[in-house]
Every structure is written in C-alpha cells, then in structure tokens.
Amino acid sequence: MSRLTQTNDAHASIAGVKGGPKAEMPDRWSIAALLLAFVAALPIAAILVTAPNGGMEALAHLARTVLADYIGNTLLLMVMAGSLAAIVGTGCAWLVTATRFPGRTLLSWALVLPLAVPAYIAAYIYADLLDFTGPVQSGLRSLTGWGVSDYDFPQIRSLPGGAFVLGIVLYPYVYLLARAAFAAQSFAQFNAARSLGAAPLSAFWHVALPAARPAIAGGLALVLMEVLADFGVAQYFAIPTFSTGIFRSWLSMGDKQAALKLAAIMLLFVIALIVWEARTRSGRSASKDGLSQRTGSEPLIQLTPLGRVLAMIACTLPVLLGFAVPALHLAGMAVSDPAIAAIGDLWSYAGGSFWLGLATAMTCLLAALLLGFAKARSTSRIASGAIRVSTLGYALPGALLAVGLLAPLGALDVGLSRFARDTFGYTGGLILTGTSAVLIYALSVRFLTVAFNSVDGGLSKIPPSLDAAARSLGAKPARVLARIYVPLLSPSLAAAAALVFIDTVRELPATLILRPFNLETLATRTYRLASDERLVEASIPALILLAAGLLPVLLLNRLGKS
C-alpha cells in the first residue's frame, strides 16, 4: 500500500506539472489527520471567534479593573520563576558535566527528581512549613524567645513565594537540555581559552555557555509554558494571574465574556512561547568535533577541596528543596492518625483518577497512531501541517482549553437538548455539558503530544520494507497491523499510555472546570482538602501523585543521557 500511495503521489505530481500549478490533492491519511487537527484546534478557534463578542466595552472594563494585575503578575511570575530555573538548571548541568565532586554520579540523576512533584503540592507543603503557625517559624520563636513583632519572616504566600516554588520544581527542564548540550560539546575551544589564560568562569561564560544557549532557551521556554499554565500555586498563594482570572470569571462570577477575553489574551502569550520554542529548536546547541571531544573521565575543571564541597552543596540543595523536603514532609503526615482515618475515601477518587486516565490514554493512543501513520505514509504538506496543529495542545494551559471548549459546547448543547425535547420528548437538562466525555476530550487534546512523540519515535524505527513485504505476500492491513506493528510498537505504546495516564491523573485546572459533579480525582481531592487547610488528610493522595510522577521523570532522565 505504501508503494501504491507513492505511485499515486508521483502521478499527481506529474499531472500538476503538465497542467500547470494545481492544488495539492490530499490522500486519505492527510484527510484523517486534517479531521483530527480540526477536532484538536476547536477550543482555540472557539476562543478566537467568540472573544470579540461584547465589543470594546467589555475589554475596557477589564482594563479598568483586573487586566493590569493579571498581565503584570503573570509576567513577573514567569520572569522570576524562569530566572531561578535557568540559573539553577544551567549551573547544576555545568557542574555535573565539567567537574568532579563527591556524589556527582548520584546527583546527576537526582537533580531531575523535583519534576516529579506537582507544583501545587509543593506549594501546599511550603505553605504548611513556612507559615506563621508552621514548624519553621514556631521553632524559630521557641529557640529565640521572639514575639510576633520581634522579627520579619518572608511571606511564602506571595508572588516571590510562588516564583520560588515554581522555579525549584521546574528547573529540571533547563537542567536536562543544558546537560545534554554541555556533554555533546567539543571542548577544544574551551581548552584553548583556558590555555590562553582565561579563568574557568570566563571560559564558561564566553565559550561553553554561548554554544549551549539554544538548548537552555528551549528548556526555559518549557518552564515558562508551565508557569503560564499554572493554576494551583497561584490560586493557593492568592496571586491574580490569567489562569486564576479565567477560573474566577467563568465559575465564580459567571462572566463568560470576561473569561473568553482573558483566554484570548492568554493565547497571545502561548503563541509567543510556541514561536520562541520552535526557534530555539532550530539553533545549534553544541559545536561538535569528533577529534576534539573529551574522552575518559578527566574533568574539564579541577576543583580545589573547598570547591568540590561547594559544588556538592550547590547540586544537593535543589534536590532537597524541590523533592526531598516535599516528599519527606508528605510521608511524615501520611503516617499520622488523621491521614490514615481519611483513607477510607481513597478508593473512590483513586478509581475516578484511574478510569479517567485510562480513557484519556486510550483516546490519545488511537489519535497518535493515526497521526504517526499519516506522517509515515503521506508526503503531503497538508498532513504535516495537520500534525503540527494536532500536537499544539501540550502548550495550552488547562484553564484556556476548558474555557475554549465550553464556549462552542454550550451553544451546541442547547440545540441538541431542544432537538431531543421536540423530537423525543426529552425532559432532562443539557446533554454534553458536565459529562465525562467532554473532560476526556479536553485532556486528550492537552496530552496528545505526549503520546504522539512516543509513537512517532517507535514508528521511525520500523523499516517500510516490512510492511511492503507482508502486503506483497497477500496479508491484509489488519493482519499487518496485528503481526508487525503491534509487537514492534508495544514498548512505545506502553510508554505513551503510561505518560498520558500519569499526566491526566495529575492535571488540575481542566479537571476542576470540566468534571462532572460526581467525579472526584486524586488531584481535585488534594486541591479541595488543601484549600480547606486539611493538608494532613490530603497527604496520602498527594503522595500518590508525587510517586506517580517518578515514571516520566526517570524516562526523561534516560532520554536526556542518550
């Protein structure tokens, strides 16, 4: 079938040359990918179409009241958290790559662990630890005898506190890409700079860092996307951002037009980050020269004994702050009596998380297989463009996706309900809104990129000749799929399903907005209990979410070293 498709494409190209310029005729794979792209792009299109409703008056009202706060706080949060992530991620990547110090091998993979901690859970933990009644300030007052007015302590429930939490759990995005870039570099130029008298810091700043800058910028773009999409940290720390503003406008105030306009402005931020991330991927992250690459275990920079101790401390602190402190504090609360007493309800919301994650994973797998085959079988530019559109969802914040989906869904639902009432005597409420199907749809759009990347990587390793040989022997497409593709793709399919499942279980804003009233997940349960200051009761589901995040983190760490 692949040869037949190629032959048809060749004939179409010849016909186009003979008859003058003609529109490219899409094949069936391109059509399928195009339909999937339409479904995936529906929330974005809905925001762009419906946001202008209400005219300039509604936008002027937002500008007079909350818009400046949302823009300013969102930008400040991105700048502060991004700066922390860039400094920590780049610095630690250089230390584990270019130097040798005690514990370096262990820390080189442990530095990825904070990515397993959902940012909103880290916010709950640090608020519990650092608030006025928390163990840190209580211990400080007990140790010193100070009263309330005798000392000033930084407020964790603030914009700088939110930036600290986000930066300390998201820096591994920068660390992974920077570590790979530093490891792949040719170090001849670095050694040449050192031989000419440049100090290690100067050689790093003028030689190693510029070569790795595209990779660092790519990791920073991912961090900024996560900060922009954050809802849990901003909501818990009372930081007015676009995500919290959309949530408040839509659900708390019932102002759909304000929510749509905020989503449209937020979409501009997303587009800017997507463009920036795409540009960084086209840059070179390392200068390679096979004859001059470093071999063996000899470090680039020889540290003094004090320097080795400082390097070990610098690489240990991010692991402690980003992973060990939240994990140990949760584990300590999880063995307390109130936490154990609350375990009776665990199975209900764990079950909700399980079936929601399973349904989303299966939906994403089917869509990823379709896109993967479209990429492998079709040379059409239509298919290529459709794949790009279909896999944009991971860059879209959950709150934006939810609002964009609810906007067209409401009008469609009213029409369906009216039709069902007039035709079949239906007496219920809205048919689609508030159902699990809508939530699965939104989560599938959000996490399709994760599944596609895994499936596409597996398909790229299967030679097309296997398919052609099987078809030439008379095998039907279903038999080729079952006997060739499924066995060879099984590791990729399993990895894709696991990653989508875990991301779905940990997703908070889209689930909060779109979930049915009778659906509770581990993430929403943790959020509700923590919002009521019942963190001890939330510790076990939060610990499960943290443990679940270890699988994708370990996979990322393995890929980052390959």
Side-chain angles (χ1 to χ4, degrees), residues 321-398:
L321 296 175
F323 179 78
V325 169
L328 292 175
H329 192 59
L330 277 178
M333 290 190 295
V335 297
S336 63
D337 291 338
I340 296 174
I343 204 172
D345 297 331
L346 177 65
W347 299 112
S348 61
Y349 43 84
S353 291
F354 177 80
W355 79 258
L356 181 63
L358 187 63
T360 305
M362 294 301 102
T363 304
C364 286
L365 277 186
L366 292 175
L369 279 171
L370 188 152
L371 292 177
F373 278 110
K375 181 178 178 181
R377 300 296 182 83
S378 176
T379 58
S380 168
R381 286 174 295 180
I382 295 176
S384 178
I387 291 171
R388 290 194 189 97
V389 172
S390 300
T391 54
L392 286 177
Y394 202 70
L396 300 177

Side-chain angles (χ1 to χ4, degrees), residues 188-201 203-204 207 300-302:
Q189 292 178 335
F190 184 89
N191 289 327
R194 295 282 288 124
S195 67
L196 293 173
L201 181 60
F204 164 76
V207 178
L300 273 176
I301 301 173
Q302 294 286 351

Side-chain angles (χ1 to χ4, degrees), residues 151-513:
Y151 70 101
D152 290 323
F153 197 86
Q155 290 293 324
I156 186 64
R157 295 178 190 254
S158 62
L159 196 148
F164 164 76
V165 170
L166 289 166
I168 205 64
V169 300
L170 295 176
Y171 79 83
Y173 283 122
V174 178
Y175 167 76
L176 281 169
L177 295 180
R179 186 184 67 181
F182 288 138
Q185 283 181 12
S186 163
F187 290 101
Q189 292 178 335
F190 184 89
N191 289 327
R194 295 282 288 124
S195 67
L196 293 173
L201 181 60
S202 177
F204 164 76
W205 188 261
H206 292 98
V207 178
L209 186 62
R213 187 175 293 133
I216 295 170
L220 181 58
L222 296 176
V223 171
L224 297 180
M225 288 180 185
E226 292 290 340
V227 175
L228 179 63
D230 170 71
F231 169 78
V233 176
Q235 175 76 5
Y236 195 65
F237 284 1
I239 306 171
T241 64
F242 276 113
S243 288
T244 60
I246 291 172
F247 191 88
R248 177 172 174 265
S249 298
W250 189 281
L251 293 183
S252 300
M253 302 178 63
D255 191 346
K256 297 182 179 180
Q257 287 305 317
L260 285 168
K261 284 175 173 54
L262 291 174
I265 299 172
M266 190 183 194
L267 187 59
L268 298 178
F269 283 72
V270 174
I271 293 172
L273 289 174
I274 291 174
V275 171
W276 183 35
E277 194 273 338
R279 292 184 63 182
T280 61
R281 280 190 282 110
S282 64
R284 295 184 63 188
S285 61
S287 59
K288 294 187 178 182
D289 180 356
L291 296 176
S292 58
Q293 285 183 6
R294 179 163 52 107
T295 58
S297 59
E298 187 67 20
L300 273 176
I301 301 173
Q302 294 286 351
L303 297 176
T304 64
L306 177 60
R308 288 195 289 270
V309 173
L310 293 177
M312 182 179 64
I313 293 173
C315 290
T316 302
L317 274 177
V319 181
L320 290 177
L321 296 175
F323 179 78
V325 169
L328 292 175
H329 192 59
L330 277 178
M333 290 190 295
V335 297
S336 63
D337 291 338
I340 296 174
I343 204 172
D345 297 331
L346 177 65
W347 299 112
S348 61
Y349 43 84
S353 291
F354 177 80
W355 79 258
L356 181 63
L358 187 63
T360 305
M362 294 301 102
T363 304
C364 286
L365 277 186
L366 292 175
L369 279 171
L370 188 152
L371 292 177
F373 278 110
K375 181 178 178 181
R377 300 296 182 83
S378 176
T379 58
S380 168
R381 286 174 295 180
I382 295 176
S384 178
I387 291 171
R388 290 194 189 97
V389 172
S390 300
T391 54
L392 286 177
Y394 202 70
L396 300 177
L400 186 150
L401 260 178
V403 170
L405 187 57
L406 285 174
L409 186 67
L412 175 63
D413 222 355
V414 169
L416 284 176
S417 300
R418 185 180 296 114
F419 173 79
R421 182 191 61 203
D422 296 341
T423 306
F424 305 106
Y426 175 74
T427 58
L430 297 178
I431 297 173
L432 297 176
T433 305
T435 64
S436 299
V438 175
L439 176 57
I440 293 170
Y441 171 30
L443 294 175
S444 298
V445 172
R446 176 95 163 85
F447 300 124
L448 176 56
T449 310
V450 177
F452 172 74
N453 288 341
S454 182
V455 171
D456 182 51
L459 278 173
S460 66
K461 298 176 183 178
I462 301 177
S465 57
L466 290 179
D467 186 347
R471 298 303 301 275
S472 67
L473 294 173
K476 301 295 183 183
R479 185 173 177 83
V480 173
L481 179 65
R483 298 297 297 274
I484 294 179
Y485 284 104
V486 170
L488 293 177
L489 282 176
S490 55
S492 299
L493 294 175
L499 292 175
V500 173
F501 180 90
I502 292 167
D503 279 341
T504 300
V505 169
R506 288 153 55 100
E507 167 65 25
L508 181 61
T511 308
L512 278 175
I513 295 175

